[in-house]
Amino acid sequence: MARNGAIGFPVRGDMKILPLPLVFSVCLAVAQERPPAETSILHVTVINVATGAELPDQTVRIQGNRIASIAATQATDSALPGAVDAHGAYLIPGLWDMHVHVHDKDELPLYVANGVTGVRVMSGDKDTAALRKELAKQAPSPEIYLASGIVDGGPPVWPGSLVVKKPADARRTVDEIKASGADFVKVYSRIPRDAYFALADEAKQQHIPFEGHVPDDVTAQEASSAGQRSMEHLSGIALACSSRQESLMGDLHRAEFFRHRMVIQAEGYQSLEQAKCQALFAEFRSNDTWQVPTLTVLRLWGRLDDSRFLSDSRLAYIDKKFRDRWEERLQPQLRRWTNQEFQLARGIFAMDERVVGGMFRAGVPMMAGTDAMNPYCFPGFSLHDELALLVESGLTPLAALQTATINPAKFLGRTAELGTVESGRIADLVLLAADPLADIRNTAQIQAVWLKGKYFDKAALVDLLEKVKAATKR
Ligand SMILES: [Zn+2]
């Protein structure tokens, strides 16, 4: 693939800037947000992620931050400004990872380098405006759909959470979150039952969605009918499918350690009733309750006795202080778990995958999410792992691709702008060397990325990765 050398990239204003002293030109470059140079992708196969149709030999013209046109490639197209010959390559919409955490804004370019042009950040801050401002300092960055601080009961799982104990706390907290400008309320495991329903009611009145864990005190059925927009990590599902739902929920309430929670979940899966599961899935479908299974993080626990898994080469892109924090968090498992416990974790994950396959066949709306910046969940890279795990669970490659493209666009109510390769859409695009519908792992064969019209060729993507890697060694 080669860029048309004769035309190259016209940079507006060069003629005016060149004669000026260097310092002044640098100031100008910062002060003016230039529109991205025009590019045209020639001879590319455009993938229609809505239908799975593949349209070969197309020219996709990108002007400003938008896709200007898509048409069969003509002989004269090689003279178009910024022409890129993409013969043999495939074009898909920019990918979204719908469950990430950002520990440091320096991680953000890792998403772009991996073709992830949008993320849903699942833990925000009390001061939403300050966090947005901080994240916006990083370029390039994926687009961010931002959570409130984590809303939890007392004592919260994570320090710094917004703690609600009574219904009145919950209502006040929702009002504050709405006023702060967060995109959604992030709900967590320990919210008490009556506070949760008050939160749900207040969120409805304030027109702000609530998304996150199904609290331990609430069933997945109840959370779905209360209007929870998304459920993460299959939380509440094993129990909701179990013939022993009530007694296991009581146990969960008393479970103090992660290991106990794991045993309860295994018991839930062992007592799974097909009919109960199907009724639950039908409810998700009719209430438009989205599932974000985050298989990447769910797989982790059963892999911690695997030295290859623990020496993943992508650790090189993670800052030392966060790597240390990961290791610290995993100490109880790494030090004390026996073979039996790792096997239990693997058994649960095998069931998680079966449940995901069942949800797909039942038509439950689903999105890809990794839980990035949890241990061994790598910003950007892991989204490709997640897509492969979804296929392993029973989704078709097309359905898996949808979970990171058109489905997030639907979820966000932005199908007119995002999620497909169509004229008029925002030019968030990923160019692949091989067909992702033939093998989903080909989503990682990235040749180029367009981020709101800005072109990153292979060299630019490698450069982004190398910069992050170098920064971890500082
Ligand atoms: Zn998370």
Side-chain angles (χ1 to χ4, degrees):
M1 190 184 60
R3 191 194 296 161
N4 183 317
I7 308 293
F9 292 97
V11 178
R12 255 164 263 184
D14 263 5
M15 293 293 281
K16 282 180 209 121
I17 292 169
L18 274 172
L20 298 172
L22 183 66
V23 169
F24 189 53
S25 74
V26 169
C27 291
L28 262 184
V30 172
Q32 295 179 340
E33 188 62 41
R34 287 202 195 99
E38 179 173 343
T39 45
S40 295
I41 312 167
L42 275 51
H43 299 292
V44 74
T45 297
V46 172
I47 297 188
N48 181 333
V49 294
T51 64
E54 301 192 324
L55 209 54
D57 213 26
Q58 299 293 299
T59 291
V60 178
R61 290 191 71 171
I62 297 156
Q63 288 170 338
N65 66 348
R66 298 273 166 170
I67 299 173
S69 65
I70 303 176
T73 301
Q74 308 294 319
T76 50
D77 286 355
S78 55
L80 288 171
V84 174
D85 183 3
H87 200 99
Y90 296 79
L91 195 64
I92 60 168
L95 302 166
W96 279 70
D97 185 335
M98 294 303 282
H99 191 127
V100 311
H101 301 272
V102 178
H103 286 1
D104 190 300
K105 66 182 185 336
D106 292 351
E107 297 147 27
L108 294 170
L110 291 175
Y111 290 101
V112 178
N114 282 285
V116 178
T117 56
V119 293
R120 184 172 60 143
V121 172
M122 294 305 288
S123 46
D125 191 85
K126 277 170 197 155
D127 191 343
T128 302
L131 178 59
R132 269 197 214 279
K133 211 170 149 189
E134 174 66 13
L135 295 174
K137 286 181 192 162
Q138 184 59 256
S141 167
E143 190 171 334
I144 290 169
Y145 179 70
L146 184 59
S148 66
I150 293 171
V151 180
D152 205 353
V157 176
W158 302 102
S161 297
L162 307 166
V163 175
V164 299
K165 292 179 176 163
K166 297 265 157 41
D169 304 338
R171 289 187 187 277
R172 194 187 55 245
T173 300
V174 169
D175 297 351
E176 286 167 5
I177 288 170
K178 173 77 182 187
S180 80
D183 294 319
F184 67 98
V185 178
K186 165 71 181 284
V187 290
Y188 218 73
S189 306
R190 291 182 182 167
I191 303 178
R193 198 179 156 76
D194 50 354
Y196 175 83
F197 291 115
L199 180 151
D201 182 63
E202 189 68 17
K204 212 170 289 171
Q205 289 183 36
Q206 295 283 348
H207 302 285
I208 184 166
F210 59 108
E211 308 168 8
H213 292 201
V214 173
D216 292 349
D217 268 358
V218 176
T219 69
Q221 292 96 332
E222 288 170 329
S224 175
S225 34
Q228 184 165 327
R229 196 82 216 294
S230 80
M231 295 178 180
E232 317 300 311
H233 324 304
L234 305 174
S235 55
I237 301 222
L239 269 54
C241 288
S242 165
S243 57
R244 298 173 51 208
Q245 181 172 15
E246 238 171 86
S247 75
L248 289 176
M249 277 185 75
D251 294 346
L252 191 65
H253 202 75
R254 289 184 291 275
E256 277 181 51
F257 301 105
F258 179 73
R259 197 189 166 283
H260 296 162
R261 296 179 69 91
M262 207 165 70
V263 169
I264 292 161
Q265 185 164 12
E267 286 180 17
Y269 276 148
Q270 276 155 18
S271 53
L272 182 143
E273 263 181 26
Q274 229 5 279
K276 220 172 161 218
C277 233
Q278 291 306 325
L280 177 70
F281 296 165
E283 195 142 346
F284 289 161
R285 217 172 39 231
S286 68
N287 294 331
D288 200 25
T289 308
W290 290 75
Q291 293 295 322
V292 186
T294 63
L295 294 167
T296 302
V297 75
L298 296 182
R299 178 181 60 167
L300 167 74
W301 309 104
R303 286 285 180 99
L304 291 175
D305 58 346
D306 178 348
S307 58
R308 271 170 317 170
F309 184 83
L310 295 176
S311 58
D312 195 307
S313 61
R314 298 171 295 185
L315 285 164
Y317 301 98
I318 305 299
D319 199 279
K320 168 108 171 53
K321 67 173 175 289
F322 300 128
R323 265 184 285 147
D324 290 347
R325 207 182 287 175
W326 288 3
E327 190 154 337
E328 197 180 308
R329 257 187 75 196
L330 296 176
Q331 273 312 311
Q333 287 79 21
L334 291 168
R335 288 245 175 102
R336 288 198 287 275
W337 273 17
T338 61
N339 225 346
Q340 214 178 359
E341 279 150 335
F342 289 118
Q343 264 170 28
L344 177 67
R346 284 193 280 275
I348 291 172
F349 183 68
M351 279 303 293
D352 289 339
E353 288 198 313
R354 284 181 60 181
V355 164
V356 168
M359 291 199 300
F360 164 63
R361 287 184 293 275
V364 174
M366 225 183 290
M367 292 186 292
T370 60
D371 222 350
M373 286 314 280
N374 270 280
Y376 295 88
C377 303
F378 303 100
F381 299 98
S382 287
L383 197 263
H384 303 277
D385 300 352
E386 183 71 20
L387 297 180
L389 289 169
L390 288 166
V391 170
E392 190 177 282
S393 302
L395 273 72
T396 61
L398 174 63
L401 197 54
Q402 288 171 341
T403 66
T405 54
I406 193 170
N407 291 5
K410 284 179 185 165
F411 177 80
L412 298 170
R414 296 179 61 192
T415 48
E417 295 181 295
L418 296 173
T420 52
V421 183
E422 281 180 87
S423 177
R425 300 290 187 273
I426 292 172
D428 286 339
L429 298 163
V430 185
L431 188 67
L432 302 174
D435 186 356
L437 300 185
D439 183 345
I440 194 66
R441 288 171 301 184
N442 289 335
T443 57
Q445 302 289 320
I446 298 173
Q447 289 194 329
V449 172
W450 282 260
L451 178 70
K452 292 191 162 57
K454 187 171 161 41
Y455 175 48
F456 295 81
D457 64 7
K458 185 76 192 174
L461 298 175
V462 169
D463 190 50
L464 287 180
L465 291 176
E466 287 309 311
K467 275 190 185 134
V468 174
K469 197 191 262 184
T472 63
K473 294 190 183 115
R474 268 203 310 259

